[in-house]
Amino acid sequence: RPSAPEALRLLYRSPEEGGHKFEWLTRRPDGTEFWVEVVATRILLRGRKTVYATCRDITERKQAEADLHRLASAVEQTAEGIAITDPVGVVQYVNPAFERITGYRQEEVLGRTATILEQSDDARALREELRAAQARGAVWSGRLTNRRKDGGDYSADVTFSPIRDGDGNLIHFVSLERDVTREVELEERLHTAQRLDSVGLLAGGVAHDL
């Protein structure tokens, strides 16, 4: 893409009349940089080719775009699974980590509800507690056992949070889940080992008494 001065020169040399719009990172007299949107038009003024240009400061818009890009990159690259649903629970977005954890591709879950991950034998009390929090538009956190696409179960620490617009209206829910299956398995092994140690100590004490 040509620089702003070059774009203006190309416009001036163009054999056809018309306009051209481009963005230009330029500097103020004090050296600070700012973005402008330039709309330049080649016109004939008193028989001479002339370029008429208007400039609009778009620095805030460019900064907002950069912030959105950073946020999108963070969401796409985070290790936690993220899903965004509408107020009634229909999935509108999932990130790559969600696909990796659940085994579902994005196109397989868009337009469906997150109930596809629910275990039929999962603790109903937790699910009801979650749904009640969603109905109130409140934040909910807890540990759930979900089901992958291949039928395998996994444990996840999940947080559901409401997203509201500027008027306070509920427009989305975002869920953040971390796969803790490995941690849960290690905890269970530790508890099993501790129980066996306790049984061993008890058996040793009984044997000693005998």
Side-chain angles (χ1 to χ4, degrees):
R1 189 175 64 179
S3 65
E6 179 62 22
L8 290 174
R9 283 193 293 269
L10 291 174
L11 177 63
Y12 184 79
R13 295 169 183 170
S14 173
E16 299 179 359
E17 294 185 8
H20 187 60
K21 182 167 70 174
F22 56 91
E23 296 173 355
W24 184 13
L25 180 62
T26 186
R27 293 179 183 273
R28 297 185 177 91
D30 63 5
T32 58
E33 293 185 335
F34 69 106
W35 282 93
V36 294
E37 181 183 75
V38 181
V39 179
T41 305
R42 189 172 68 82
I43 61 175
L44 284 176
L45 182 62
R46 297 176 183 175
R48 299 180 59 184
K49 287 193 299 183
T50 304
V51 173
Y52 173 78
T54 59
C55 301
R56 182 166 64 94
D57 189 336
I58 58 170
T59 305
E60 289 187 4
R61 191 192 79 190
K62 297 293 287 187
Q63 182 61 52
E65 290 174 354
D67 291 342
L68 285 175
H69 178 72
R70 282 192 292 270
L71 176 61
S73 296
V75 169
E76 288 286 306
Q77 298 178 42
T78 186
E80 286 75 22
I82 294 177
I84 298 176
T85 72
D86 67 9
V88 297
V90 177
V91 178
Q92 297 185 334
Y93 167 82
V94 296
N95 71 341
F98 178 95
E99 296 179 313
R100 184 174 63 254
I101 293 171
T102 67
Y104 286 98
R105 297 190 305 276
Q106 185 177 74
E107 58 268 25
E108 293 178 303
V109 296
L110 293 183
R112 303 175 67 181
T113 65
T115 55
I116 59 174
L117 303 178
E118 293 184 8
Q119 272 202 111
S120 59
D121 58 347
D122 197 11
R124 291 188 178 182
L126 279 178
R127 298 286 180 184
E128 292 302 321
E129 182 183 310
L130 166 59
R131 292 190 176 94
Q134 289 179 309
R136 298 193 308 272
V139 177
W140 183 89
S141 296
R143 178 168 292 180
L144 296 173
T145 302
N146 288 334
R147 182 153 290 166
R148 295 187 177 90
K149 181 182 177 181
D150 63 8
D153 297 334
Y154 69 98
S155 299
D157 285 343
V158 183
T159 299
F160 284 85
S161 302
I163 301 176
R164 301 182 183 276
D165 62 17
D167 296 324
N169 300 312
L170 179 64
I171 55 174
H172 295 100
F173 280 103
V174 58
S175 71
L176 176 69
E177 71 171 35
R178 184 171 67 90
D179 187 345
V180 293
T181 306
R182 179 62 176 167
E183 290 90 329
V184 170
E185 290 176 350
L186 291 176
E187 289 174 2
E188 291 176 351
R189 290 179 185 177
L190 176 60
H191 292 158
T192 300
Q194 290 173 337
R195 287 195 297 270
L196 291 175
D197 285 344
S198 297
V199 171
L201 290 173
L202 178 61
V206 171
H208 180 270
D209 291 340
L210 291 175

